[in-house]
Amino acid sequence: MRHTVSTTQSFVDLAELVRAALEDAFQKLGLERFRARQVFRWIHHQGVTSFDLMTDLSQQLRATLAASCRISTPTIAQRQLSSDGTEKFLLQLADGRQIESVFIPDTPSMTFCLSTQVGCAMACRFCLTGKMGLVRNLTAGEIVGQVRVLAGALDMRHTRFNIVLMGMGEPLHNYDETIKALRILADDQGMAVSPRRVTLSTVGVLPALERLASEPRMPNLAISLHAPTDAIRGQLVPINKKYGVSDIIEACKRFPLKRRSRITFEYVLLAGINDSPDDARRLARLLSGVKSKINLIPLNAAPGIPFERPSDEVVDWFARILADHHLTVSVRKSRGRDIRAACGQLIVEGQNKSAGQQLATLAFGD
Ligand code: SAH
């Protein structure tokens, strides 16, 4: 069984629609187009998902909407608060799948870290989500829904926040739904989160990165680089065999950046693998001529991850070498480690295979 049960199959899910599409849907239902704007505001600005509560619509319109539409919204299965204020939400989707979203306060701004897929196909060797494999893509409504739910639960509907697409999944492996989600989020009748306050983090799916370069409104870009050479990166990030380090750097050089903006390069530091002074110098050489800033992320170690975190001293040295080469470098303070909400630690157990896959495994083996 997929997303819907048969009795709701003909219902239009308004949570999935950009405003123009919502207007079209209203027209098709024989409703006035301008009413769609009101409903869009209720859903995305006010966070109201029950037609009953949409008090500026007539009783009759509310009844019509309730009979023909729904507004799918993830539900909170679990909340975990870290000692540093980071809060991890386990969210349940309409089909029973679960994802994690994280609220990170005071960085110095407020940040929501969102998932774009259930699991991830990229299988980076130091990432726990990668171990799950890909279960399915999230829909645009499910990506936006994470923001609606977190903003509601944290009473932040009218607070400014940033968004990072750094939760479960590879956003550029779910391109269309991710871009559609950013459009819904940016709408000034809804949450009005400008793409300038969104950072999309990618392992470097190059054809999709080229598509992103042609979008009219672009988020900030972060590239998960993690190594200065193909020899090292190839061992860590399987997709590097397809899109290698120099291809990525060339694509970044072509990427149309606004004045004064830069691409963030994320670099997970793994003891004895990619943390030598030579690696730092090679990285500096690689990034010379790229409008870049580097974000070093000392590994968040976990059982099942075959790497270790370097000492603080090694991290400092690595950062120092980059800074000496006139690169902008920051070291990511790990947040929410006590509740496993930190980078690469998002994983939902027991759903890494769909029911169909589980049956197939039983019948045919892996
Ligand atoms: N798929 C996207 C976004 C998700 S991960 C990407 O690869 O960019 C967000 C960041 O956390 C990535 O840079 C990722 O490489 C990093 N990360 C993954 N596992 C980690 C771990 N165990 N410790 C520290 N950072 C990790």
Side-chain angles (χ1 to χ4, degrees):
M1 193 165 51
R2 297 285 294 170
H3 302 265
T4 46
V5 288
S6 57
T7 51
T8 61
Q9 231 144 36
S10 59
F11 279 49
V12 184
D13 191 349
L14 305 186
E16 296 294 342
L17 305 179
V18 298
R19 183 150 51 96
L22 188 63
E23 287 166 356
D24 292 346
F26 269 45
Q27 200 163 10
K28 274 203 201 108
L29 291 167
L31 306 172
E32 294 158 302
R33 277 180 81 87
F34 80 95
R35 294 285 175 205
R37 188 173 69 95
Q38 281 169 285
V39 171
F40 188 90
R41 280 188 71 81
W42 278 115
I43 300 171
H44 297 287
H45 188 71
Q46 310 279 43
V48 166
T49 52
S50 156
F51 296 112
D52 265 353
L53 301 176
M54 300 186 179
T55 46
D56 58 358
L57 307 180
S58 70
Q59 293 282 4
Q60 198 202 338
L61 176 55
R62 287 187 242 169
T64 306
L65 290 174
S68 51
C69 304
R70 63 198 164 101
I71 304 165
S72 292
T73 301
T75 54
I76 298 176
Q78 205 188 337
R79 276 174 86 151
Q80 274 176 286
L81 181 63
S82 161
S83 54
D84 65 19
T86 299
E87 194 158 2
K88 183 166 81 168
F89 290 76
L90 179 67
L91 301 181
Q92 174 128 349
L93 308 171
D95 68 350
R97 297 289 186 197
Q98 293 182 325
I99 50 167
E100 291 179 323
S101 316
V102 183
F103 167 61
I104 310 152
D106 316 316
T107 53
S109 36
M110 307 294 182
T111 303
F112 292 150
C113 177
L114 307 184
S115 295
T116 53
Q117 298 179 311
V118 184
C120 185
M122 298 297 125
C124 299
R125 288 192 55 223
F126 46 80
C127 178
L128 274 183
T129 308
K131 287 192 165 293
M132 289 176 69
L134 178 64
V135 178
R136 70 166 172 88
N137 281 330
L138 294 185
T139 64
E142 289 168 335
I143 298 170
V144 175
Q146 296 168 63
V147 185
R148 289 194 282 117
V149 169
L150 266 62
L154 295 159
D155 200 13
M156 283 178 57
R157 228 179 275 293
H158 305 291
T159 311
R160 266 173 94 85
F161 52 80
N162 296 333
I163 289 175
V164 295
L165 301 179
M166 298 186 185
M168 300 167 79
E170 166 51 49
L172 292 189
H173 191 216
N174 182 18
Y175 187 87
D176 292 329
E177 296 299 308
T178 299
I179 295 298
K180 185 170 151 193
L182 296 187
R183 260 188 223 134
I184 297 173
L185 287 165
D187 195 308
D188 57 8
Q189 296 296 317
M191 284 181 269
V193 183
S194 144
R196 271 178 290 129
R197 284 197 274 136
V198 179
T199 299
L200 183 153
S201 177
T202 177
V203 72
V205 185
L206 288 193
L209 191 62
E210 306 282 357
R211 271 180 86 187
L212 186 67
S214 66
E215 292 290 339
R217 296 185 74 193
M218 260 182 291
N220 301 302
L221 184 62
I223 300 277
S224 288
L225 189 61
H226 309 319
T229 63
D230 286 325
I232 305 175
R233 194 169 192 264
Q235 292 170 32
L236 304 174
V237 176
I239 202 179
N240 193 73
K241 301 206 169 59
K242 213 160 168 188
Y243 311 116
V245 171
S246 56
D247 303 326
I248 291 180
I249 298 300
E250 285 312 310
C252 288
K253 284 182 178 161
R254 287 195 302 274
F255 199 80
L257 287 178
K258 282 193 221 69
R259 239 157 53 87
R260 275 198 291 266
S261 69
R262 291 188 265 179
I263 296 175
T264 301
F265 288 88
E266 294 157 286
Y267 193 107
V268 174
L269 282 164
L270 309 166
I273 305 286
N274 64 356
D275 65 344
S276 73
D278 257 353
D279 294 326
R281 283 187 284 270
R282 281 187 288 202
L283 180 62
R285 228 173 299 133
L286 187 67
L287 294 181
S288 74
V290 185
K291 284 167 81 181
S292 66
K293 48 189 175 185
I294 302 168
N295 193 206
L296 298 175
I297 317 173
L299 174 76
N300 293 312
I305 298 294
F307 300 106
E308 278 164 36
R309 181 190 183 90
S311 68
D312 289 351
E313 210 181 359
V314 167
V315 175
D316 285 348
W317 267 111
F318 201 93
R320 176 75 51 85
I321 294 170
L322 295 173
D324 285 348
H325 284 78
H326 310 292
L327 291 163
T328 306
V329 52
S330 58
V331 178
R332 189 178 298 178
K333 211 176 122 207
S334 179
R335 304 286 300 246
R337 272 206 281 165
D338 55 342
I339 55 165
R340 219 163 69 181
C343 296
Q345 299 197 302
L346 302 183
I347 186 168
V348 178
E349 263 116 352
Q351 64 163 9
N352 52 340
K353 291 202 170 80
S354 69
Q357 280 175 314
Q358 274 168 15
L359 275 177
T361 309
L362 281 177
F364 306 113
D366 262 323

